[in-house]
Amino acid sequence: MSRWSGSRNDSERERNDMNVLHIVAGELTGGAARGAYWLHTGLRELGVNSIVYTNSQATHGDTSVVTINKSKVDKAVNIFRSQADGMIANLYRNRESSQFSSGMIGVDFTKSQAYRDADVVHLHWINAGFVNMEHLAKIDKPLIWTMRDMWPRTGGCHYAMECDKFTSGCGNCAHLRSKSKHDLSRMLLKRKAKYLPKNMRMVGISDWLTEQAKSSLLFRDYDVRTIHNNVDRSEFFPVDKH
């Protein structure tokens, strides 16, 4: 039995035949990427051939982690993509300083060998210039997207605060301090809708994220479910309170 909570015992044959590709942006040492890596590790323990495709410099010495960030040149290009992805929001000079991602720049992971070998593609946090939303339309495999913040369903912000315009199509964006209904946030949300595969399954890591997605204009017709982050039970377990 796996030491990871949330794991299911399927047949050994099904496990060994399953090739899962996780698309994970950001360093695997922190943030949303860490939760994705925990899932990857748990699947590997169950016998699933799980692979992480990432732009992280840290790989934990894990040969099942494929990084595009291997050299000084790769690092420079990665920084450029990240800056360029957020640069379009700088057209709004009075915008808030919080992170705002366009999803218009990224690496075409569908050309990689890891993608060609995959049976299932699992998106996690994909921002900072790592994934161009346009490339999602090319995916011809079962697709899951685990939402680790609010960005998947907004017009660019990663946390909407008290704003609920993602339920009606964005525009007049508070993060951009825009007074136009047809602003960048509305354009980016429409762009997402254009390229998202209709058979994609959405996952929230909390009930709150799941309910937010169900209320959004983008995902209200999608299959959205909650699957909490898994935990290594060899490190986290109940003990006597005394």
Side-chain angles (χ1 to χ4, degrees):
M1 182 175 180
S2 171
R3 71 174 194 264
W4 293 85
S5 66
S7 301
R8 295 189 303 172
N9 289 320
D10 297 321
S11 71
E12 193 67 30
R13 180 184 63 80
E14 289 175 336
R15 294 175 189 167
N16 293 337
D17 287 348
M18 180 71 71
N19 296 319
V20 179
L21 176 64
H22 301 276
I23 308 296
V24 185
E27 290 298 318
L28 297 183
T29 52
R34 186 182 298 178
Y37 186 72
W38 290 341
L39 175 59
H40 162 71
T41 303
L43 288 173
R44 297 284 296 185
E45 285 196 10
L46 284 173
V48 176
N49 184 28
S50 179
I51 299 294
V52 171
Y53 187 85
T54 182
N55 61 349
S56 173
Q57 291 187 79
T59 63
H60 302 302
D62 189 339
T63 57
S64 61
V65 174
V66 178
T67 180
I68 63 168
N69 201 355
K70 300 177 182 179
S71 67
K72 291 183 179 180
V73 173
D74 293 337
K75 183 178 181 180
V77 171
N78 191 55
I79 292 173
F80 171 78
R81 287 197 195 98
S82 178
Q83 293 177 343
D85 180 71
M87 196 173 295
I88 187 171
N90 291 338
L91 294 172
Y92 295 81
R93 295 183 178 180
N94 297 319
R95 75 181 187 91
E96 292 187 1
S97 59
S98 55
Q99 187 173 11
F100 191 97
S101 301
S102 71
M104 298 180 69
I105 294 173
V107 179
D108 190 354
F109 61 88
T110 65
K111 294 182 178 180
S112 69
Q113 186 61 49
Y115 174 79
R116 288 191 287 270
D117 292 340
D119 298 307
V120 176
V121 177
H122 194 153
L123 305 176
H124 295 270
W125 198 81
I126 61 172
N127 303 114
F130 188 51
V131 173
N132 184 335
M133 294 299 295
E134 184 177 354
H135 296 152
L136 300 189
K138 301 167 63 175
I139 296 176
D140 57 357
K141 305 170 186 285
L143 177 62
I144 302 166
W145 194 352
T146 291
M147 299 172 286
R148 300 189 176 275
D149 62 13
M150 295 183 72
W151 186 84
R153 59 188 171 280
T154 72
C157 67
H158 287 256
Y159 187 68
M161 303 298 286
E162 66 276 3
C163 176
D164 64 355
K165 290 187 176 71
F166 61 86
T167 64
S168 58
C170 287
N172 298 113
C173 179
H175 283 259
L176 298 176
R177 293 181 179 170
S178 164
K179 297 181 180 180
S180 172
K181 181 179 180 180
H182 301 285
D183 62 11
L184 177 63
S185 69
R186 193 175 187 86
M187 183 273 284
L188 292 178
L189 196 68
K190 286 183 176 180
R191 187 173 184 270
K192 284 182 182 177
K194 178 180 179 181
Y195 293 121
L196 286 177
K198 300 305 179 185
N199 62 345
M200 179 176 59
R201 304 298 178 92
M202 301 300 299
V203 173
I205 58 173
S206 69
D207 292 334
W208 181 82
L209 278 170
T210 297
E211 292 307 312
Q212 289 284 305
K214 288 180 178 179
S215 70
S216 71
L217 179 66
L218 202 57
F219 296 126
R220 61 183 51 163
D221 295 326
Y222 281 77
D223 183 355
V224 187
R225 308 185 188 191
T226 300
I227 302 178
H228 301 287
N229 279 327
N230 56 333
V231 174
D232 187 341
R233 295 186 299 192
S234 69
E235 296 186 16
F236 298 96
F237 49 85
V239 297
D240 187 277
K241 291 183 179 180
H242 297 291

